[in-house]
Coordinates of all heavy atoms in Angstrom, one line a residue:
M688 N 81.2 117.6 85.2 CA 80.3 117.5 86.3 C 80.1 116.1 86.7 O 80.0 115.2 85.9 CB 78.9 118.1 85.8 CG 77.9 118.2 86.9 SD 76.5 119.0 86.3 CE 75.2 118.0 86.9
A689 N 80.2 115.8 87.9 CA 80.1 114.5 88.5 C 78.6 114.2 88.9 O 78.0 115.0 89.5 CB 81.0 114.3 89.7
A690 N 78.2 112.9 88.6 CA 76.9 112.5 89.1 C 77.0 112.1 90.6 O 78.1 111.7 91.0 CB 76.4 111.3 88.2
T691 N 75.9 112.2 91.3 CA 76.0 111.9 92.7 C 74.9 110.9 93.1 O 73.7 111.2 92.7 CB 75.8 113.2 93.6 OG1 76.9 114.1 93.2 CG2 76.0 112.9 95.1
F692 N 75.2 109.8 93.7 CA 74.2 108.8 94.2 C 74.4 108.5 95.6 O 75.5 108.7 96.2 CB 74.4 107.5 93.3 CG 74.3 107.8 91.9 CD1 75.4 108.0 91.1 CD2 73.1 107.7 91.2 CE1 75.3 108.2 89.7 CE2 73.0 107.9 89.9 CZ 74.0 108.1 89.1
K693 N 73.4 107.9 96.2 CA 73.5 107.5 97.7 C 74.1 106.2 97.8 O 74.7 105.9 98.9 CB 72.1 107.6 98.3 CG 71.6 109.0 98.4 CD 70.2 109.0 99.1 CE 69.8 110.4 99.1 NZ 68.5 110.6 99.9
N694 N 74.0 105.3 96.9 CA 74.5 103.9 97.0 C 75.1 103.5 95.7 O 74.4 103.6 94.6 CB 73.3 103.0 97.5 CG 73.8 101.6 97.8 OD1 74.9 101.2 97.4 ND2 73.0 100.8 98.4
I695 N 76.3 102.9 95.7 CA 76.9 102.5 94.4 C 76.2 101.3 93.8 O 76.2 101.2 92.6 CB 78.4 102.2 94.6 CG1 79.1 102.2 93.2 CG2 78.6 100.9 95.4 CD1 79.1 103.4 92.4
R696 N 75.5 100.6 94.6 CA 74.7 99.4 94.0 C 73.6 99.9 93.2 O 73.0 99.1 92.4 CB 74.2 98.5 95.1 CG 75.4 97.8 95.9 CD 74.9 97.0 97.0 NE 76.1 96.6 97.8 CZ 76.2 95.5 98.4 NH1 75.2 94.7 98.5 NH2 77.2 95.3 99.1
S697 N 73.2 101.1 93.3 CA 72.1 101.6 92.4 C 72.6 102.0 91.0 O 71.8 102.3 90.1 CB 71.4 102.9 93.0 OG 72.4 103.9 93.1
V698 N 73.9 101.9 90.8 CA 74.5 102.2 89.4 C 74.8 100.8 88.8 O 75.6 100.1 89.2 CB 75.8 103.0 89.6 CG1 76.4 103.2 88.2 CG2 75.5 104.3 90.3
I699 N 74.0 100.6 87.6 CA 74.2 99.4 86.9 C 74.7 99.8 85.5 O 73.9 100.4 84.8 CB 72.9 98.6 86.8 CG1 72.4 98.2 88.2 CG2 73.0 97.4 85.9 CD1 71.0 97.7 88.3
P700 N 75.9 99.4 85.1 CA 76.4 99.8 83.8 C 75.6 99.2 82.7 O 75.2 98.1 82.8 CB 77.9 99.3 83.8 CG 78.2 99.1 85.2 CD 76.9 98.7 85.9
L701 N 75.5 99.9 81.6 CA 74.9 99.4 80.4 C 75.9 99.1 79.3 O 77.0 99.6 79.3 CB 73.9 100.5 79.8 CG 72.8 100.8 80.8 CD1 72.0 102.0 80.1 CD2 71.9 99.7 81.1
F702 N 75.5 98.3 78.3 CA 76.4 97.9 77.2 C 77.7 97.4 77.6 O 77.9 96.5 78.4 CB 76.4 99.0 76.2 CG 75.1 99.4 75.7 CD1 74.5 100.7 76.0 CD2 74.3 98.6 74.9 CE1 73.2 101.0 75.6 CE2 73.1 98.9 74.5 CZ 72.5 100.1 74.8
D703 N 78.8 98.1 77.1 CA 80.2 97.7 77.4 C 80.8 98.6 78.5 O 82.1 98.7 78.5 CB 81.0 97.6 76.2 CG 81.2 98.9 75.5 OD1 80.4 99.8 75.8 OD2 82.1 99.0 74.7
R704 N 80.1 99.3 79.3 CA 80.6 100.2 80.3 C 81.1 99.4 81.5 O 80.6 98.4 81.9 CB 79.6 101.2 80.7 CG 79.0 102.1 79.6 CD 80.1 103.0 79.1 NE 79.5 104.0 78.2 CZ 79.3 103.9 76.9 NH1 79.6 102.8 76.3 NH2 78.8 104.9 76.2
V705 N 82.1 99.9 82.1 CA 82.8 99.3 83.3 C 82.9 100.3 84.4 O 83.4 101.4 84.2 CB 84.2 98.8 82.9 CG1 84.9 98.1 84.1 CG2 84.1 97.8 81.8
L706 N 82.4 100.0 85.6 CA 82.4 100.9 86.7 C 83.7 100.5 87.5 O 83.8 99.3 87.9 CB 81.2 100.8 87.5 CG 81.1 101.6 88.8 CD1 81.0 103.1 88.5 CD2 79.8 101.2 89.6
V707 N 84.5 101.4 87.8 CA 85.8 101.2 88.5 C 86.0 102.2 89.7 O 85.4 103.2 89.7 CB 87.1 101.2 87.6 CG1 86.9 100.2 86.5 CG2 87.3 102.6 87.0
Q708 N 86.8 101.8 90.6 CA 87.2 102.7 91.7 C 88.8 102.7 91.6 O 89.4 101.6 91.8 CB 86.8 102.2 93.1 CG 87.1 103.2 94.1 CD 86.5 102.8 95.5 OE1 86.2 101.6 95.7 NE2 86.3 103.8 96.3
R709 N 89.3 103.9 91.4 CA 90.8 104.0 91.3 C 91.4 103.8 92.7 O 90.8 104.1 93.7 CB 91.2 105.4 90.9 CG 90.9 105.6 89.4 CD 91.4 107.0 89.0 NE 91.1 107.4 87.7 CZ 91.9 107.2 86.6 NH1 93.1 106.7 86.8 NH2 91.6 107.5 85.4
F710 N 92.6 103.3 92.7 CA 93.4 103.1 93.9 C 93.8 104.5 94.4 O 94.2 105.4 93.6 CB 94.6 102.2 93.8 CG 94.3 100.8 93.5 CD1 95.0 100.1 92.6 CD2 93.3 100.1 94.2 CE1 94.7 98.7 92.3 CE2 92.9 98.8 94.0 CZ 93.7 98.1 93.0
K711 N 93.8 104.7 95.7 CA 94.3 106.0 96.2 C 95.8 105.9 96.6 O 96.2 104.9 97.1 CB 93.5 106.4 97.5 CG 92.1 106.6 97.2 CD 91.3 107.0 98.4 CE 89.8 107.2 97.9 NZ 88.9 107.0 99.0
P712 N 96.5 107.0 96.3 CA 98.0 106.9 96.7 C 98.1 106.8 98.2 O 97.3 107.3 99.0 CB 98.5 108.2 96.2 CG 97.4 109.1 95.8 CD 96.2 108.2 95.7
E713 N 99.2 106.1 98.6 CA 99.5 106.0 100.0 C 99.8 107.3 100.6 O 100.5 108.2 100.1 CB 100.7 105.1 100.3 CG 100.4 103.6 99.9 CD 99.4 103.0 100.8 OE1 99.3 103.3 102.0 OE2 98.7 102.1 100.2
T714 N 99.3 107.6 101.8 CA 99.5 108.9 102.6 C 100.5 108.7 103.7 O 100.8 109.6 104.4 CB 98.2 109.5 103.0 OG1 97.5 108.6 103.9 CG2 97.3 109.9 101.9
K715 N 100.8 107.4 104.0 CA 101.7 107.1 105.0 C 102.7 106.0 104.6 O 102.3 105.1 103.9 CB 100.8 106.6 106.2 CG 101.5 106.5 107.5 CD 100.5 106.4 108.7 CE 100.2 105.1 109.1 NZ 99.4 105.0 110.4
T716 N 103.9 106.1 105.0 CA 104.9 105.1 104.7 C 104.7 103.9 105.6 O 104.0 103.9 106.6 CB 106.3 105.7 104.9 OG1 106.5 105.9 106.3 CG2 106.6 106.9 104.0
A717 N 105.4 102.8 105.3 CA 105.4 101.6 106.0 C 105.9 101.8 107.5 O 105.4 101.1 108.4 CB 106.2 100.4 105.4
S718 N 106.8 102.7 107.6 CA 107.3 103.0 109.0 C 106.4 104.0 109.8 O 106.7 104.3 110.9 CB 108.7 103.6 108.9 OG 108.7 104.8 108.2
G719 N 105.3 104.5 109.2 CA 104.4 105.3 109.9 C 104.5 106.8 109.6 O 103.8 107.6 110.2
L720 N 105.4 107.2 108.8 CA 105.6 108.7 108.4 C 104.5 109.1 107.5 O 104.2 108.4 106.5 CB 107.0 108.9 107.8 CG 108.2 108.7 108.7 CD1 109.5 108.8 107.9 CD2 108.1 109.6 109.9
F721 N 103.9 110.3 107.7 CA 102.9 110.8 106.8 C 103.6 111.5 105.7 O 104.5 112.3 105.9 CB 101.9 111.7 107.6 CG 101.0 111.0 108.4 CD1 101.2 110.8 109.8 CD2 99.8 110.4 107.9 CE1 100.4 110.1 110.6 CE2 98.9 109.8 108.7 CZ 99.2 109.6 110.1
L722 N 103.1 111.2 104.5 CA 103.7 111.9 103.3 C 103.0 113.2 103.0 O 101.7 113.3 103.2 CB 103.5 111.0 102.0 CG 104.3 109.6 102.2 CD1 103.8 108.8 101.0 CD2 105.7 109.9 102.1
P723 N 103.7 114.3 102.6 CA 103.0 115.5 102.3 C 102.1 115.3 101.0 O 102.4 114.5 100.2 CB 104.2 116.5 101.9 CG 105.3 115.6 101.6 CD 105.1 114.3 102.3
S724 N 101.1 116.2 100.9 CA 100.2 116.1 99.8 C 100.8 116.3 98.5 O 100.4 115.8 97.5 CB 99.0 117.1 100.0 OG 99.6 118.4 100.0
S725 N 102.0 117.1 98.5 CA 102.7 117.2 97.2 C 103.3 115.9 96.7 O 103.5 115.8 95.5 CB 103.8 118.3 97.3 OG 104.7 118.0 98.3
A726 N 103.6 115.0 97.6 CA 104.2 113.8 97.2 C 103.2 112.7 96.8 O 103.4 111.7 96.1 CB 105.0 113.2 98.4
T727 N 101.9 113.0 97.2 CA 100.8 112.1 96.9 C 99.8 112.6 95.9 O 98.8 112.0 95.7 CB 100.1 111.6 98.2 OG1 99.5 112.8 98.8 CG2 101.0 110.9 99.2
S728 N 100.1 113.7 95.2 CA 99.1 114.3 94.3 C 99.0 113.4 93.1 O 99.9 112.6 92.7 CB 99.6 115.7 94.0 OG 100.8 115.7 93.3
G729 N 97.9 113.6 92.4 CA 97.7 112.8 91.2 C 96.9 111.5 91.5 O 96.8 111.1 92.6
T730 N 96.5 110.9 90.4 CA 95.7 109.6 90.6 C 96.6 108.5 90.1 O 97.4 108.6 89.1 CB 94.4 109.7 89.9 OG1 94.6 109.9 88.5 CG2 93.5 110.7 90.4
L731 N 96.4 107.3 90.6 CA 97.1 106.1 90.2 C 96.4 105.5 89.0 O 95.1 105.6 88.9 CB 97.2 105.1 91.3 CG 98.0 105.6 92.5 CD1 97.9 104.5 93.6 CD2 99.4 105.8 92.1
P732 N 97.1 104.9 88.0 CA 96.4 104.4 86.8 C 95.8 103.0 87.1 O 95.2 102.4 86.2 CB 97.6 104.2 85.9 CG 98.8 104.0 86.7 CD 98.5 104.8 88.0
E733 N 95.8 102.5 88.3 CA 95.2 101.2 88.7 C 93.9 101.4 89.3 O 93.6 102.4 90.0 CB 96.1 100.4 89.6 CG 97.4 100.0 89.0 CD 98.3 99.3 90.0 OE1 97.7 98.5 90.8 OE2 99.5 99.5 90.0
A734 N 93.0 100.4 89.1 CA 91.6 100.5 89.6 C 91.1 99.1 89.8 O 91.6 98.1 89.3 CB 90.7 101.3 88.8
T735 N 90.1 99.0 90.7 CA 89.3 97.7 90.8 C 88.0 97.9 90.2 O 87.3 98.9 90.3 CB 89.1 97.4 92.4 OG1 90.3 97.4 93.0 CG2 88.3 96.2 92.6
V736 N 87.6 96.8 89.4 CA 86.3 96.8 88.7 C 85.2 96.5 89.7 O 85.3 95.5 90.5 CB 86.4 95.7 87.6 CG1 85.0 95.7 86.9 CG2 87.4 96.1 86.6
I737 N 84.2 97.4 89.7 CA 83.1 97.2 90.7 C 81.9 96.5 90.0 O 81.4 95.6 90.6 CB 82.7 98.6 91.2 CG1 83.8 99.4 91.8 CG2 81.4 98.4 92.1 CD1 84.4 98.7 93.0
A738 N 81.6 96.8 88.8 CA 80.6 96.3 88.0 C 80.7 96.4 86.5 O 81.5 97.4 86.1 CB 79.2 96.9 88.4
V739 N 80.2 95.5 85.7 CA 80.3 95.6 84.3 C 78.9 95.5 83.6 O 78.1 94.8 84.2 CB 81.3 94.5 83.7 CG1 82.7 94.8 84.2 CG2 80.8 93.2 84.0
G740 N 78.8 96.0 82.5 CA 77.6 95.9 81.7 C 77.5 94.6 81.0 O 78.6 93.8 81.0
P741 N 76.4 94.2 80.3 CA 76.3 92.9 79.7 C 77.1 92.7 78.4 O 77.4 91.6 78.0 CB 74.8 92.8 79.4 CG 74.3 94.2 79.4 CD 75.2 94.9 80.3
G742 N 77.5 93.8 77.8 CA 78.2 93.8 76.5 C 77.5 94.5 75.4 O 76.4 95.0 75.6
V743 N 78.1 94.5 74.2 CA 77.4 95.1 73.1 C 77.2 94.1 72.0 O 77.9 93.1 71.8 CB 78.4 96.2 72.5 CG1 78.4 97.4 73.4 CG2 79.8 95.7 72.2
P744 N 76.2 94.3 71.2 CA 75.9 93.3 70.1 C 76.9 93.5 68.9 O 77.3 94.6 68.6 CB 74.5 93.7 69.7 CG 74.2 95.0 70.3 CD 75.1 95.3 71.3
D745 N 77.3 92.4 68.3 CA 78.1 92.5 67.2 C 77.2 92.6 65.9 O 76.0 92.9 66.0 CB 79.1 91.3 67.1 CG 78.4 89.9 66.9 OD1 77.1 90.0 66.7 OD2 79.0 88.9 67.0
R746 N 77.8 92.4 64.7 CA 77.1 92.6 63.5 C 76.0 91.7 63.4 O 74.9 91.9 62.7 CB 78.0 92.5 62.3 CG 79.0 93.5 62.1 CD 79.8 93.3 60.9 NE 81.0 94.2 60.9 CZ 82.0 94.1 60.1 NH1 82.0 93.2 59.2 NH2 83.0 94.9 60.1
N747 N 76.1 90.5 64.0 CA 75.0 89.5 63.8 C 74.1 89.5 65.0 O 73.1 88.7 65.0 CB 75.7 88.1 63.8 CG 76.7 87.9 62.7 OD1 76.4 88.4 61.6 ND2 77.8 87.2 62.9
G748 N 74.2 90.5 65.9 CA 73.3 90.7 67.0 C 73.6 89.8 68.2 O 72.9 89.9 69.2
K749 N 74.8 89.1 68.1 CA 75.2 88.3 69.3 C 75.9 89.2 70.3 O 76.7 90.1 69.9 CB 76.1 87.2 68.8 CG 76.6 86.3 70.0 CD 77.6 85.2 69.4 CE 78.1 84.5 70.6 NZ 79.2 83.6 70.3
I750 N 75.6 89.1 71.6 CA 76.2 90.0 72.6 C 77.6 89.6 72.9 O 77.9 88.4 73.1 CB 75.4 89.9 73.9 CG1 74.0 90.4 73.7 CG2 76.1 90.7 75.0 CD1 73.9 91.9 73.3
V751 N 78.5 90.5 72.8 CA 80.0 90.3 73.1 C 80.2 90.8 74.5 O 80.1 92.0 74.7 CB 80.9 91.0 72.0 CG1 82.3 90.8 72.4 CG2 80.6 90.5 70.6
P752 N 80.5 89.9 75.5 CA 80.6 90.4 76.8 C 82.0 91.3 77.0 O 82.9 91.1 76.2 CB 80.7 89.1 77.6 CG 81.2 88.1 76.7 CD 80.7 88.5 75.3
P753 N 82.0 92.2 78.0 CA 83.3 92.9 78.3 C 84.4 91.9 78.6 O 84.2 90.8 79.0 CB 82.9 93.8 79.5 CG 81.4 93.8 79.4 CD 80.9 92.5 78.9
S754 N 85.6 92.4 78.5 CA 86.8 91.6 78.7 C 87.2 91.5 80.1 O 88.2 90.8 80.5 CB 88.0 92.1 77.8 OG 88.2 93.4 78.1
V755 N 86.6 92.3 81.0 CA 86.9 92.3 82.5 C 85.6 91.9 83.2 O 84.5 92.0 82.7 CB 87.4 93.7 82.9 CG1 88.7 94.0 82.3 CG2 86.4 94.8 82.7
S756 N 85.8 91.6 84.5 CA 84.7 91.2 85.4 C 84.8 91.9 86.7 O 85.9 92.3 87.1 CB 84.5 89.7 85.5 OG 85.6 89.1 86.0
A757 N 83.8 91.9 87.5 CA 83.8 92.5 88.8 C 84.9 91.9 89.7 O 85.1 90.7 89.6 CB 82.5 92.4 89.5
G758 N 85.8 92.7 90.3 CA 86.8 92.2 91.2 C 88.2 92.3 90.5 O 89.2 92.2 91.2
D759 N 88.2 92.4 89.2 CA 89.5 92.5 88.5 C 90.3 93.7 88.8 O 89.6 94.8 89.0 CB 89.3 92.4 86.9 CG 88.9 91.0 86.4 OD1 89.0 90.1 87.2 OD2 88.5 90.9 85.2
R760 N 91.6 93.7 88.8 CA 92.4 94.9 88.9 C 92.8 95.2 87.5 O 93.2 94.4 86.7 CB 93.7 94.6 89.7 CG 93.4 94.5 91.2 CD 94.6 94.3 92.0 NE 95.6 95.4 91.7 CZ 96.9 95.3 92.0 NH1 97.4 94.3 92.7 NH2 97.7 96.3 91.8
V761 N 92.7 96.5 87.1 CA 92.9 97.0 85.8 C 93.8 98.2 85.7 O 94.0 98.9 86.7 CB 91.6 97.2 85.0 CG1 90.8 96.0 84.8 CG2 90.8 98.3 85.7
L762 N 94.4 98.4 84.6 CA 95.2 99.6 84.3 C 94.4 100.5 83.4 O 93.9 100.1 82.4 CB 96.5 99.1 83.5 CG 97.6 100.2 83.3 CD1 98.1 100.7 84.6 CD2 98.7 99.6 82.5
L763 N 94.3 101.7 83.8 CA 93.5 102.7 83.1 C 94.3 103.8 82.4 O 95.5 104.1 82.8 CB 92.6 103.5 84.2 CG 91.6 102.6 84.9 CD1 90.9 103.4 86.0 CD2 90.6 102.0 84.0
P764 N 93.7 104.4 81.4 CA 94.4 105.5 80.8 C 94.4 106.7 81.7 O 93.6 106.8 82.7 CB 93.6 105.8 79.5 CG 92.3 105.3 79.8 CD 92.5 104.1 80.8
S765 N 95.3 107.7 81.5 CA 95.3 108.9 82.4 C 94.2 109.8 82.0 O 93.9 110.8 82.7 CB 96.7 109.6 82.3 OG 96.9 109.9 80.9
W766 N 93.5 109.7 81.0 CA 92.4 110.5 80.5 C 91.1 109.7 80.5 O 91.1 108.6 80.6 CB 92.7 111.0 79.1 CG 93.1 109.9 78.2 CD1 94.4 109.5 77.9 CD2 92.3 109.0 77.5 NE1 94.4 108.4 77.1 CE2 93.2 108.1 76.8 CE3 90.9 108.8 77.4 CZ2 92.7 107.0 76.0 CZ3 90.5 107.8 76.6 CH2 91.3 106.9 75.9
G767 N 90.0 110.4 80.3 CA 88.7 109.8 80.1 C 88.0 109.3 81.4 O 88.4 109.5 82.5
G768 N 86.9 108.7 81.2 CA 86.1 108.2 82.3 C 85.1 109.2 82.8 O 85.4 110.4 82.7
N769 N 83.9 108.8 83.2 CA 83.0 109.7 83.7 C 83.0 109.5 85.3 O 82.9 108.4 85.7 CB 81.6 109.5 83.2 CG 81.5 109.8 81.7 OD1 82.3 109.3 81.0 ND2 80.5 110.5 81.4
S770 N 83.0 110.6 86.0 CA 83.1 110.5 87.5 C 81.7 110.4 88.1 O 80.8 110.9 87.7 CB 83.7 111.8 88.0 OG 83.8 111.8 89.4
I771 N 81.7 109.5 89.1 CA 80.5 109.3 89.9 C 80.8 109.3 91.4 O 81.7 108.6 91.8 CB 79.9 107.9 89.6 CG1 79.5 107.8 88.1 CG2 78.6 107.6 90.5 CD1 79.1 106.4 87.7
K772 N 80.2 110.3 92.1 CA 80.4 110.4 93.6 C 79.3 109.7 94.3 O 78.1 109.9 94.1 CB 80.4 111.9 93.9 CG 81.5 112.7 93.4 CD 82.7 112.5 94.2 CE 82.9 113.5 95.3 NZ 84.1 113.4 96.0
V773 N 79.8 108.9 95.3 CA 78.9 108.3 96.3 C 79.4 108.6 97.6 O 80.4 108.1 98.1 CB 78.8 106.8 96.1 CG1 77.9 106.1 97.1 CG2 78.4 106.4 94.7
G774 N 78.8 109.6 98.3 CA 79.3 110.1 99.6 C 80.7 110.7 99.3 O 80.8 111.6 98.5
E775 N 81.7 110.3 100.1 CA 83.0 110.7 99.9 C 83.8 109.9 98.8 O 84.9 110.3 98.5 CB 83.8 110.7 101.2 CG 83.2 111.7 102.2 CD 83.3 113.1 101.8 OE1 84.4 113.5 101.3 OE2 82.3 113.8 101.9
E776 N 83.3 108.8 98.4 CA 84.0 107.9 97.5 C 83.7 108.4 96.0 O 82.7 108.8 95.7 CB 83.5 106.5 97.6 CG 83.9 105.9 99.0 CD 85.3 105.7 99.2 OE1 86.1 105.4 98.3 OE2 85.8 106.0 100.4
E777 N 84.8 108.2 95.2 CA 84.7 108.6 93.8 C 84.9 107.3 92.9 O 85.9 106.5 93.1 CB 85.7 109.7 93.4 CG 85.5 110.2 92.0 CD 86.4 111.4 91.7 OE1 87.4 111.6 92.4 OE2 86.0 112.2 90.9
Y778 N 84.0 107.1 92.0 CA 84.1 106.0 91.0 C 84.1 106.6 89.7 O 83.8 107.7 89.4 CB 82.8 105.1 91.2 CG 82.7 104.5 92.5 CD1 82.1 105.2 93.6 CD2 83.2 103.2 92.8 CE1 81.9 104.6 94.9 CE2 83.1 102.7 94.1 CZ 82.4 103.4 95.1 OH 82.3 102.8 96.3
F779 N 84.5 105.7 88.7 CA 84.6 106.1 87.3 C 84.0 105.1 86.4 O 84.0 103.9 86.7 CB 86.0 106.4 86.8 CG 86.7 107.6 87.5 CD1 87.3 107.4 88.7 CD2 86.6 108.8 87.0 CE1 87.9 108.5 89.4 CE2 87.2 109.9 87.6 CZ 87.8 109.7 88.8
M780 N 83.3 105.6 85.3 CA 82.7 104.7 84.3 C 83.5 104.8 83.0 O 83.8 106.0 82.6 CB 81.3 105.2 84.0 CG 80.5 104.2 83.2 SD 79.9 102.8 84.1 CE 78.6 103.5 85.1
F781 N 84.1 103.7 82.5 CA 84.9 103.7 81.3 C 84.2 102.7 80.3 O 83.5 101.8 80.8 CB 86.3 103.1 81.6 CG 87.2 104.1 82.3 CD1 87.3 104.3 83.6 CD2 88.1 104.9 81.4 CE1 88.2 105.2 84.2 CE2 88.9 105.8 82.0 CZ 88.9 106.0 83.4
K782 N 84.5 102.9 79.1 CA 84.2 101.8 78.1 C 85.2 100.7 78.2 O 86.3 100.9 78.5 CB 84.2 102.4 76.7 CG 83.1 103.4 76.4 CD 83.1 103.8 74.9 CE 82.5 102.7 74.1 NZ 82.3 103.1 72.7
D783 N 84.7 99.5 77.9 CA 85.6 98.3 78.0 C 86.8 98.5 77.2 O 87.9 98.2 77.5 CB 84.8 97.1 77.6 CG 85.7 95.8 77.7 OD1 86.3 95.6 78.8 OD2 85.7 95.1 76.8
S784 N 86.7 99.1 76.0 CA 87.8 99.3 75.1 C 88.8 100.3 75.5 O 89.9 100.3 75.0 CB 87.3 99.6 73.7 OG 86.5 100.8 73.7
D785 N 88.4 101.2 76.5 CA 89.3 102.1 77.0 C 90.3 101.6 78.1 O 91.4 102.2 78.4 CB 88.6 103.3 77.7 CG 87.9 104.2 76.6 OD1 88.2 104.1 75.4 OD2 87.0 104.9 77.0
I786 N 90.0 100.4 78.6 CA 90.8 99.8 79.7 C 92.0 99.2 79.0 O 91.9 98.5 78.0 CB 90.0 98.8 80.5 CG1 88.9 99.5 81.2 CG2 90.9 98.0 81.4 CD1 88.0 98.6 82.0
L787 N 93.2 99.6 79.5 CA 94.5 99.2 78.9 C 94.9 97.7 79.1 O 95.4 97.1 78.2 CB 95.6 100.1 79.3 CG 95.3 101.6 79.1 CD1 96.5 102.4 79.8 CD2 95.2 101.9 77.6
A788 N 94.7 97.2 80.4 CA 95.1 95.9 80.7 C 94.5 95.4 82.0 O 94.1 96.2 82.8 CB 96.7 95.9 80.8
K789 N 94.5 94.1 82.1 CA 94.2 93.4 83.4 C 95.5 93.3 84.2 O 96.5 93.0 83.5 CB 93.5 92.1 83.2 CG 92.1 92.0 82.9 CD 91.7 90.6 83.0 CE 90.4 90.3 82.3 NZ 90.0 88.9 82.4
I790 N 95.5 93.3 85.5 CA 96.7 93.2 86.3 C 96.5 91.9 87.1 O 95.5 91.7 87.8 CB 96.8 94.3 87.2 CG1 97.0 95.6 86.5 CG2 98.1 94.1 88.1 CD1 97.0 96.9 87.3
K791 N 97.4 90.9 86.8 CA 97.3 89.6 87.5 C 98.1 89.8 88.8 O 99.2 90.4 88.8 CB 97.9 88.5 86.7 CG 97.0 88.1 85.5 CD 97.5 86.9 84.9 CE 96.5 86.4 83.8 NZ 96.9 85.1 83.3
E792 N 97.7 89.2 89.8 CA 98.4 89.3 91.1 C 99.3 88.1 91.3 O 99.2 87.1 90.9 CB 97.3 89.4 92.3 CG 96.6 90.6 92.1 CD 95.7 90.9 93.3 OE1 96.1 90.6 94.4 OE2 94.6 91.5 93.1

């Protein structure tokens, strides 16, 4: 079940949670041809980080910040994440440890 909100700014991740928006597959080629839905089905494993939580406390109580920050491009696993709908847009909430890698441009 997906949570629904009116504005994504009203969602503030807690602890080591990371709010991301997955990239959508291209529906049109560079030359302008539209691709059929069967060719664009599925989700891409890449996403943009929208917001991050402050981190989790370690054994000594010191806060360990997440390894990513807002604006980073990341590689996600094909499973997991909690879905959040804002209008027609879909976002996902992952734990920082579930994110596979940062993507440098």
Side-chain angles (χ1 to χ4, degrees):
M688 183 171 136
T691 304
F692 300 93
K693 292 184 180 184
N694 185 345
I695 195 61
R696 293 179 192 209
S697 64
V698 179
I699 301 168
L701 299 176
F702 301 111
D703 65 340
R704 301 296 194 267
V705 179
L706 181 66
V707 300
Q708 185 175 26
R709 288 185 185 263
F710 292 138
K711 295 180 181 156
E713 293 292 327
T714 57
K715 194 161 95 172
T716 65
S718 61
L720 297 174
F721 285 97
L722 298 170
S724 60
S725 61
T727 60
S728 62
T730 58
L731 297 176
E733 296 178 35
T735 300
V736 176
I737 304 300
V739 296
V743 291
D745 63 7
R746 291 183 191 170
N747 301 321
K749 182 180 175 190
I750 299 294
V751 178
S754 57
V755 297
S756 57
D759 287 347
R760 287 182 57 193
V761 294
L762 186 64
L763 300 173
S765 57
W766 47 266
N769 295 49
S770 176
I771 299 171
K772 291 283 269 190
V773 179
E775 294 297 315
E776 296 293 322
E777 187 171 27
Y778 299 86
F779 292 89
M780 189 80 72
F781 282 90
K782 287 185 79 170
D783 181 50
S784 60
D785 289 341
I786 294 174
L787 302 175
K789 279 189 199 181
I790 301 171
K791 289 191 175 187
E792 297 189 32

